[in-house]
């Protein structure tokens, strides 16, 4: 059996599971492994140092899988922003058919991608943002709950409410993101109206994930309390793994009149990359979601996807379906 949804039909994939964009993780190897498992793998554009490097990564991925894969382009404020338009141009020129966008002011990029016939998935953390993206013409909303890794927004609304409200508010398909890592989560997301799920942290902890084995083992040992929120004073909240560096960041952020310069050296992206490369979980800050509490092993992408879909099918068929019965009629005494 397979789970057939609007997402699988739209993207031409076997299973309604998307591997979201992840900085330093969304390489060709990662995307190809997920796509070969029947889900949708995604290359993270900004993990590549230049637009031309992204072009080569896309071409490399095509040598590893014949299945659909996409590219993530995340638009974040920066003092020296990357050349977003050049990255977007490469995505179009290379004939990518699916793009995941995230971040601020995506309008011109969404138009650029749609004009090229590209299916656009846009990540949102609030219903109002999802409605705006819908107006801009995106095809699918990836609704990110407060449990998620990375940037959960500033409203602190969990996925249970966001997904149920999305079913009422949106006229386009949406998928669930944040806190998803097993078949129960997949079945629940479908029951709430989603057409599939988007996972980042769970895919980090797989055999093919291009991060150090020691970090994967640290994720297995962690639980749902092993994350913390940073950048809250700057209204750019992010969820990261709770290590000694994160604790120090939180301590500095509690001081009056804190400025970003007070934590800059602790949260440098280069330090986070070293974490994944060397396996020292305490070297810098690194992104992880509350789904850590559901991660107990390091499977291949294929085994993870098959297990999730199989478990979801069993829950839907053997647990939920049998709950629907004819009303009991009291016999007259």
């Amino acid at each position: 059996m397979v789970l057939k949804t609007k997402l699988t039909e739209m993207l031409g994939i076997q299973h309604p599971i998307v591997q979201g964009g992840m900085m330093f993780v969304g390489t060709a190897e990662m995307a190809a492994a997920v796509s070969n498992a029947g889900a949708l793998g995604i290359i993270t554009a900004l993990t590549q140092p230049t637009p031309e490097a992204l072009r080569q990564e896309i071409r490399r991925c095509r040598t590893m899988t014949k299945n659909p894969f996409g590219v993530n382009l995340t638009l974040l404020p920066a003092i020296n922003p990357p050349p977003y338009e050049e990255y977007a141009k490469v995505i179009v020129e290379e004939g990518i058919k699916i793009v995941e966008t995230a971040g601020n002011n995506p309008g011109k990029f969404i138009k650029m991608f749609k004009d090229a016939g590209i299916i656009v998935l846009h990540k949102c953390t609030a219903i109002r943002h999802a409605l705006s993206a819908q107006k801009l013409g995106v095809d699918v909303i990836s609704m990110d709950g407060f449990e998620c890794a990375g940037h959960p927004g500033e409203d602190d609304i969990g996925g249970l409410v966001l997904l149920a409200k999305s079913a009422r508010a949106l006229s386009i398909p949406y998928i669930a993101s944040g806190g998803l890592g097993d078949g129960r989560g997949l079945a629940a997301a479908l029951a709430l109206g989603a057409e599939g799920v988007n996972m980042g942290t769970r895919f980090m902890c797989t055999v093919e994930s291009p991060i150090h084995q020691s970090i994967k083992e640290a994720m297995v040992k962690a639980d749902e309390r092993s994350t913390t929120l940073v950048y809250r004073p700057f209204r750019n909240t992010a969820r990261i793994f709770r290590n000694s560096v994160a604790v120090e960041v939180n301590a500095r952020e509690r001081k009056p009149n804190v400025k970003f310069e007070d934590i800059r050296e602790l949260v440098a992206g280069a330090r986070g990359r070293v974490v994944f490369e060397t396996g020292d979980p305490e070297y810098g800050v690194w992104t992880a979601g509350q789904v850590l509490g559901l991660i107990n092993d390091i499977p291949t992408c294929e085994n993870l996807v098959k297990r999730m879909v199989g478990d979801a099918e069993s829950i839907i068929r053997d647990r939920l379906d049998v709950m629907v019965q004819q009303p009991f009629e009291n016999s007259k005494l």
Side-chain angles (χ1 to χ4, degrees), residues 55-70:
R55 189 188 305 278
Q56 296 308 313
E57 193 74 357
I58 291 170
R59 293 178 180 181
R60 209 162 61 84
C61 192
R62 286 200 171 108
T63 69
M64 302 177 192
T65 183
K66 300 302 181 184
N67 293 337
F69 67 90

Side-chain angles (χ1 to χ4, degrees), residues 28-87:
E29 287 83 1
M30 180 85 259
V34 175
S35 290
N36 286 334
L40 182 74
I42 290 185
I43 292 172
T44 305
L46 298 184
T47 288
Q48 300 304 313
T50 66
E52 280 305 306
L54 172 61
R55 189 188 305 278
Q56 296 308 313
E57 193 74 357
I58 291 170
R59 293 178 180 181
R60 209 162 61 84
C61 192
R62 286 200 171 108
T63 69
M64 302 177 192
T65 183
K66 300 302 181 184
N67 293 337
F69 67 90
V71 175
N72 165 278
L73 185 62
T74 297
L75 312 163
L76 294 175
I79 297 174
N80 297 305
Y84 289 122
E85 292 189 27
E86 293 180 32
Y87 279 99

Side-chain angles (χ1 to χ4, degrees), residues 75-98:
L75 312 163
L76 294 175
I79 297 174
N80 297 305
Y84 289 122
E85 292 189 27
E86 293 180 32
Y87 279 99
K89 184 179 178 183
V90 166
I91 291 170
V92 172
E93 289 175 348
E94 287 302 306
I96 290 295
K97 301 301 183 185
I98 306 164

Side-chain angles (χ1 to χ4, degrees), residues 138-149:
V138 306
D139 300 282
V140 180
I141 296 295
S142 181
M143 186 54 74
D144 236 356
F146 187 56
E147 307 92 335
C148 73

Side-chain angles (χ1 to χ4, degrees), residues 1-9 12-17 37-39 186 190 195 305-314 316-317:
M1 292 180 64
V2 295
L3 296 172
K4 183 179 180 181
T5 72
K6 292 178 182 178
L7 184 77
T8 60
E9 293 181 321
I13 57 178
Q14 185 178 0
H15 304 301
I17 298 173
L186 175 55
L190 297 175
E195 300 293 335
V305 169
K306 284 185 176 179
R307 182 173 68 197
M308 281 187 62
V309 173
D311 288 349
E313 290 173 351
S314 295
I316 294 168
R317 181 184 60 247

